DNA sequence: CTGTTAGCGCTTTCAA
DNA sequence: TTGAAAGCGCTAACAG
């Protein structure tokens, strides 16, 4: 914050009161055109920019929305972020990006910071480790959840996600229809709703084909490193180095898919000759990869727009009923599967 | 900004003055441990979070640094952003991301917003279209330039970039050493310093090999769509559909490379059999692409850290002399070139 | 060690 | 249509 010209300086320069200056800045009420002109000239002349902090302090809102996610350099979130921006920008809101790196502590730290910044609302892709706190918080600041639900009776807010169950059900069914039965799965931690729902979609599709997936099911790997990409690598390794290999693998998100792809590439495991794969969610530059996985395509920008809309509504009134929006993914075929 | 408990409420609750509360919040001076305890309890009890706007208004700084770039969903910038964050986070600074989409107007708009937000400093990847304004601005708010220089005598601030000239010189020389002489180039607009410097590196390397590159040089394409990716596609198309094709192509950044790769893939042009390529800068998931381009590898996080450091120094004193830091890229071989 | 108070820059009532 | 003045929540002299 550099030394600054204030509204007072402008008023003095234009020989009017600060109230008048304020009025022309905010295009409030009626101001004599001549005086208005004078003020505008003074503003220009002095290089005046209203102090946002002072304004926020007075009017009790910041017109800022926070977008707190696990990884702000992830294509997934930056694209969603663009969608949010599309919506809120016209309404003169600003977005503030923060990333938790999936750490519960950092999430908490940021949440507190946002509270101090008095953001008008928080769009949150939670780590899943502060459900209690966030539920309590949700009564004091509007919250909309992005892609990870908080299952807590006290939580107040909206939730936007894909139809995880349906997307994975479809993907798995596709593999089954190709004749696969020993289908492996690489997933992230199940306490996150996305992974849980996807897992359930997998189990259900398998069940439909008469295959029981229980804890004893051999072809599954549940990651726990909090780096999906590493989980993907480890998971692929685990499945492919076992005594009995699956003939196909379901990868539960794009980061996991990238990790798995890296493993396959290193070990020269041929896709789909050695093993077929499918993955949930769009992949950055998928058309340029050495294998184009068959995926559930998801409209990320659309998700972002919806998040933005719900947020705005909730800022206006946080007492509306909790809402849940699901986007249906569409399957997009690549060259990563083969019939058995 | 939800209705909020203020320092007054805390003071009342703890039966002390607001000054005392302020002291414990800021860990200023010495406060009687018992009283401190009481205040802390009140803060906890009331769910108090200091109002940042009020604080900023008083202390005249926001501890916020803006990072204004062309595209915030670009891996290049998000990675640099992480580097910046690494440095400033410990110092209790926050970062605010904004993207211009390479539009001069949006850049201007954001600059004004940042002035109103009274950010303590701006790390800027400029569109190159507001040099006059930014130079003037640089005397009122600390500015550090990321990867695009502003050539204006009045500009005050630092500049961090790669050794563009050297990186491209090396890459081009590599192609020449492989026997190539008809070497094409796909570049972005030359009014941006990065592209200009890279172009000069190319011209110089060619000259060293006795090849004159002038305006008449046939194997060059200078993009102008402001989407590097599209420039890359168009450029590759232009070069490959000409009567005489180059035997190798220098791609001036990773987005251009992605675009070109897309064209080659679509047209089934074989790399490096039909044409060799090299590219400046790291590419996201490069090891998973259908071709691994030979690149100049650049340490993006290192750039970010340096940007952060310079910014902090300049916030403390904006009257230091302009500094320029160059990072030397290292060549990283892929499978995208062949000897002629 | 603690409290009182002025004032940061702005918006908004209220009066003129 | 304009101005005076209170007050948003906080920090930092200053006094005690």
């Amino acid at each position: 914050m550099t030394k600054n010209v204030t509204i007072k300086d402008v008023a003095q320069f234009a020989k009017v009161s600060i109230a008048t200056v304020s009025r022309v800045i905010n295009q409030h009420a009626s101001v004599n055109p001549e005086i208005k002109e004078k003020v505008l000239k003074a503003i220009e002349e002095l290089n005046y920019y209203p102090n946002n902090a002072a304004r926020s302090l007075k009017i009790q809102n910041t017109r800022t929305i926070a977008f707190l996610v696990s990884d702000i350099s992830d294509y997934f979130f930056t694209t969603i972020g663009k969608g949010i921006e599309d919506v809120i920008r016209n309404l003169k809101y600003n977005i503030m990006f923060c990333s938790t790196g999936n750490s519960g502590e950092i999430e908490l730290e940021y949440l507190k910071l946002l509270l101090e910044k008095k953001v008008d609302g928080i769009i949150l892709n939670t780590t899943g480790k502060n459900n209690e706190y966030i539920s309590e918080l949700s009564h004091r600041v509007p919250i909309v959840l992005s892609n990870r639900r908080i299952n807590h009776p006290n939580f107040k807010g909206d939730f936007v996600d894909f139809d995880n169950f349906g997307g994975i059900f479809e993907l798995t069914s596709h593999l089954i229809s190709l004749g696969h039965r020993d289908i492996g799965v690489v997933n992230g931690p199940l306490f996150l709703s996305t992974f849980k729902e996807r897992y359930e979609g997998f189990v259900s599709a398998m069940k439909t084909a008469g295959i029981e997936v229980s804890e004893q099911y051999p072809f599954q790997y549940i990651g726990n490193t909090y780096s999906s990409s590493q989980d993907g690598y480890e998971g692929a390794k685990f499945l492919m180095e076992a005594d009995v290999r699956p003939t196909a693998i379901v990868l539960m998100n794009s980061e996991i898919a990238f990790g798995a792809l890296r493993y396959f590439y290193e070990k020269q495991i041929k896709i789909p000759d050695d093993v077929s794969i499918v993955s949930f969610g769009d992949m950055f530059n998928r058309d340029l990869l050495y294998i184009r996985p068959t995926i559930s395509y998801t409209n990320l920008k659309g998700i972002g727009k919806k998040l933005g809309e719900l947020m705005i509504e909730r800022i206006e009134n946080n007492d509306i009923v909790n809402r849940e929006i699901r986007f249906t993914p569409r399957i997009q075929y690549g060259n990563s599967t083969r019939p058995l």
Side-chain angles (χ1 to χ4, degrees), chain A:
Chain A
M1 202 139 133
T2 39
K3 208 180 302 154
N4 259 293
V5 11
T6 75
I7 198 172
K8 238 185 208 158
D9 301 319
V10 176
Q12 218 155 25
F13 190 95
K15 298 186 200 315
V16 295
S17 74
I18 60 169
T20 301
V21 177
S22 176
R23 283 190 195 102
V24 347
I25 292 168
N26 297 296
Q27 302 159 23
H28 265 353
S30 34
V31 180
N32 182 314
E34 276 175 42
I35 295 196
K36 184 172 171 182
E37 203 48 48
K38 228 176 22 177
V39 171
L40 255 15
K41 207 160 285 173
I43 288 176
E44 167 93 41
E45 190 69 35
L46 299 178
N47 257 316
Y48 167 69
Y49 294 93
N51 185 319
N52 217 289
R55 178 158 212 277
S56 286
L57 180 58
K58 184 68 193 174
I59 68 177
Q60 299 286 69
N61 82 246
T62 54
R63 291 200 98 73
T64 300
I65 290 169
F67 187 34
L68 180 52
V69 302
S70 57
D71 181 4
I72 208 250
S73 69
D74 188 336
Y75 170 73
F76 184 85
F77 291 116
T78 51
T79 311
I80 290 179
K82 278 187 176 176
I84 298 175
E85 226 171 357
D86 279 356
V87 171
I88 67 173
R89 198 134 192 279
N90 302 327
L91 274 35
K92 297 285 171 203
Y93 278 89
N94 286 106
I95 191 167
M96 180 177 160
F97 294 91
C98 321
S99 46
T100 62
N102 277 321
S103 147
E105 284 117 79
I106 298 185
E107 179 175 44
L108 214 53
E109 222 173 274
Y110 263 121
L111 252 13
K112 286 178 180 168
L113 178 77
L114 297 177
L115 249 20
E116 299 190 356
K117 293 259 185 203
K118 311 293 177 202
V119 295
D120 293 338
I122 302 175
I123 298 177
L124 177 64
N125 173 252
T126 179
T127 64
K129 292 165 198 159
N130 296 304
N131 291 359
E132 188 75 37
Y133 179 84
I134 293 167
S135 300
E136 201 272 318
L137 185 61
S138 68
H139 291 262
R140 292 185 291 130
V141 50
I143 296 182
V144 177
L145 300 173
S146 164
N147 301 78
R148 287 178 183 173
R149 165 191 272 124
I150 288 181
N151 276 318
H152 193 288
N154 194 30
F155 177 78
K156 170 195 262 190
D158 307 313
F159 172 58
V160 182
D161 200 352
F162 304 109
D163 175 5
N164 293 303
F165 183 97
I168 287 293
F169 189 97
E170 189 180 10
L171 239 22
T172 307
S173 301
H174 174 58
L175 291 175
I176 292 169
S177 77
L178 291 175
H180 294 276
R181 300 192 51 90
D182 293 343
I183 302 176
V185 56
V186 180
N187 206 357
L190 293 176
F191 69 88
L192 293 173
S193 65
T194 30
F195 292 129
K196 182 146 182 286
E197 291 171 7
R198 288 175 200 175
Y199 187 70
E200 285 162 359
F202 173 75
V203 172
S204 174
M206 292 295 272
K207 187 167 202 165
T208 304
I211 306 162
E212 202 64 43
V213 173
S214 66
E215 288 199 6
Q216 284 72 47
Y217 187 73
F219 306 121
Q220 59 186 331
Y221 181 90
I222 311 295
N224 52 10
T225 64
Y226 299 120
S227 155
S228 280
S229 166
Q230 196 181 332
D231 283 349
Y233 186 97
E234 301 291 344
K237 184 181 164 102
F238 171 82
L239 293 176
M240 299 309 286
E241 292 182 359
D243 291 341
V244 185
R245 288 179 169 190
T247 63
I249 301 179
V250 179
L251 303 161
M252 290 304 204
N253 72 22
S254 61
E255 284 301 309
I256 288 176
F258 281 128
L261 242 30
R262 193 159 281 121
Y263 172 80
F264 296 137
Y265 187 84
E266 272 179 24
K267 301 300 178 193
Q268 312 226 39
I269 292 171
K270 296 272 169 289
I271 311 292
D273 302 337
D274 297 336
V275 63
S276 293
I277 60 171
V278 296
S279 166
F280 192 99
D282 199 13
M283 300 172 80
F284 182 68
N285 278 335
R286 164 172 171 273
D287 53 342
L288 298 180
L289 301 176
Y290 77 92
I291 284 293
R292 259 176 307 109
T294 290
I295 60 166
S296 277
Y297 175 77
T298 50
N299 176 6
L300 295 177
K301 221 162 170 193
I303 285 257
K305 283 189 182 168
K306 184 48 93 178
L307 284 167
E309 286 165 17
L310 295 180
M311 184 82 267
I312 297 294
E313 289 174 23
R314 198 157 273 285
I315 285 173
E316 278 160 12
N317 175 17
N318 196 15
D319 287 328
I320 49 187
V321 64
N322 290 11
R323 291 166 297 181
E324 169 169 336
I325 312 285
R326 295 286 183 168
F327 281 64
T328 304
R330 257 180 333 101
I331 204 161
Q332 205 166 64
Y333 296 99
N335 57 6
S336 67
T337 65
R338 70 172 187 102
L340 208 58

